[in-house]
Amino acid sequence: MKVLVTGGAGFIGSNFIRYIIKKHPTYKIINLDKLTYAGNLENLADVEQNKSYRFVKGDICDQKLVDQVVEEGIDAIVNFAAESHVDRSLYDPKTFMQTNVLGTQTLMESGLKHRIKKYIQISTDEVYGSLKEGDDPFTEKSSILSNSPYSASKASADLLVRAYQKTFDLPAVITRCCNNYGPHQFPEKLIPLFITNAMEDKSLPIYGDGLYIRDWIYVEDHCRAIDLILHKGKVGEIYNISSNVEKTNLEITRMILAYLKKPSSLIKHVKDRPAHDRRYALKAEKIRKDLGWEPEVSFEQGISLTIDWYIKNKGWWEKVKSGEYLEYYQKHYIKRENS
Ligand code: NAD
Ligand code: DAU
């Protein structure tokens, strides 16, 4: 099988490529990535010499380039490429619409033209909006009620994928996963930001009261689910993916501080994120029942593996944090932290 993975230099995409190369050594993988601030080829340094793997630098919005890659006999496209950070979508919504919506359309056009056998859209539980404490978790049938520009761009892409599947018979499947954590996650997201800040004895900026809840999954469990969907997922379906691990941001912060033996005085409550979704929780019965998927990594195991990875790979995140990220952080975050 020849698979085009987009956004493979980012967090989940790089973990997925590593997973597929190991599980299916005969497959050919092409990684198409624009290398935005979040894309980092060091994430794939251990596979770049592998004969099954090839990297192409480029934008998923570039129809000519995407056509050139897909016409090489691509069987399946797995679309991870996206602007993925909610906070950034508050400052630059247009880039989110361009990549997340128009980029998706470009890939699907190419997929149709070259008759690919499967198109997987990696979406998110954020499209369902926010739950209150005591509400039932979201199912695949829950309404789309996006609250951030990021979420609205992902939801728009999902609707477009649905339309291409219904109208043009694109063999598409949509996945909606909860919050991922693990090695190689860009240190702008809660878990890697707080691990690395704590290691540097910097403050941990908790938005609002810190009692916001997310549903967490170890990235390798997510990769296994996508592999199953690539092979057995039914065209036209949406699959929620979740390990059902609900935690408040403060609970996670305290676990990180305890593991690193750092004081709770590093916690700093700062101005809240606008339209901050209070709680995410997903029912993932369909993928469990229909495809036999089960998560294998508990939160306690996963968080230890993750913190240990950031301890061992200080050079990786120090470099990442001193690049374009630092400029962005100084422009937007310092203001927030001081208010
Ligand atoms: P990430 O920000 O770490 O990586 C995104 C990658 O996409 C980067 O390598 C970047 O260079 C690339 N990219 C961005 N714009 C591009 C463009 N126009 N053309 C080509 N490449 C481009 O993101 P992530 O956390 O790995 O998320 C991957 C996907 O999974 C996203 O679609 C995201 O919406 C979805 N998702 C993420 C989570 C999570 O918790 N991180 C949960 C559910 C779903
Ligand atoms: O639910 C899936 C989504 O999870 C993905 O679609 C997104 O790509 C991914 O970024 C993630 O979105 P969140 O907004 O949930 O992730 P983030 O790590 O930005 O924030 C997690 C929680 O922590 C959220 O309640 C906001 C809070 N937070 C975050 C940061 C960065 C803080 O309190 N302080 C912070 O500095």
Side-chain angles (χ1 to χ4, degrees), residues 84-87 124-126 150 177-179 188-190 193-194 205-207 212 214 249 273 276 280:
S84 68
H85 192 35
V86 174
D87 290 328
T124 166
D125 62 355
E126 291 209 26
Y150 161 71
C177 189
C178 59
N179 282 59
E188 66 186 348
K189 309 282 165 58
L190 179 81
L193 178 72
F194 281 19
I206 282 272
Y207 300 163
Y212 292 84
R214 294 292 180 265
N249 297 334
R273 175 186 276 177
H276 195 171
Y280 300 145

Side-chain angles (χ1 to χ4, degrees), residues 6-13 32-40 58-61 79-85 99-100 122-125 150 154 176-181 184-186 188-189 216 222:
T6 65
F11 164 47
I12 308 175
L32 173 65
D33 197 297
K34 187 178 173 183
L35 298 184
T36 66
Y37 77 96
N40 185 349
D59 192 328
I60 58 164
C61 301
N79 181 27
F80 292 94
E83 288 295 333
S84 68
H85 192 35
T99 287
N100 299 2
I122 305 298
S123 185
T124 166
D125 62 355
Y150 161 71
K154 294 296 288 186
R176 293 188 180 141
C177 189
C178 59
N179 282 59
N180 286 228
Y181 67 101
H184 299 281
Q185 186 167 29
F186 195 90
E188 66 186 348
K189 309 282 165 58
W216 292 95
H222 185 191

Side-chain angles (χ1 to χ4, degrees), residues 13 16-17 31-32 38 43 49 57 73 81 91 105 122 144 174 179 193 234 249 275 277 286 321:
F16 180 72
I17 289 176
N31 171 16
L32 173 65
N43 290 345
Q49 297 305 328
K57 183 171 189 289
Y91 305 116
Q105 195 218 358
I122 305 298
I144 300 279
I174 295 171
N179 282 59
L193 178 72
K234 223 170 122 198
N249 297 334
D277 289 333
K286 191 197 246 176
K321 270 185 142 179

Side-chain angles (χ1 to χ4, degrees), residues 51-70:
K51 287 199 177 72
S52 313
Y53 169 78
R54 184 156 69 88
F55 173 67
V56 177
K57 183 171 189 289
D59 192 328
I60 58 164
C61 301
D62 180 345
Q63 190 75 66
K64 200 167 152 212
L65 174 69
V66 172
D67 280 348
Q68 268 168 16
V69 174
V70 178

Side-chain angles (χ1 to χ4, degrees), residues 141-155:
K141 292 203 166 77
S142 297
S143 307
I144 300 279
L145 285 171
S146 299
N147 292 315
S148 71
Y150 161 71
S151 173
S153 69
K154 294 296 288 186

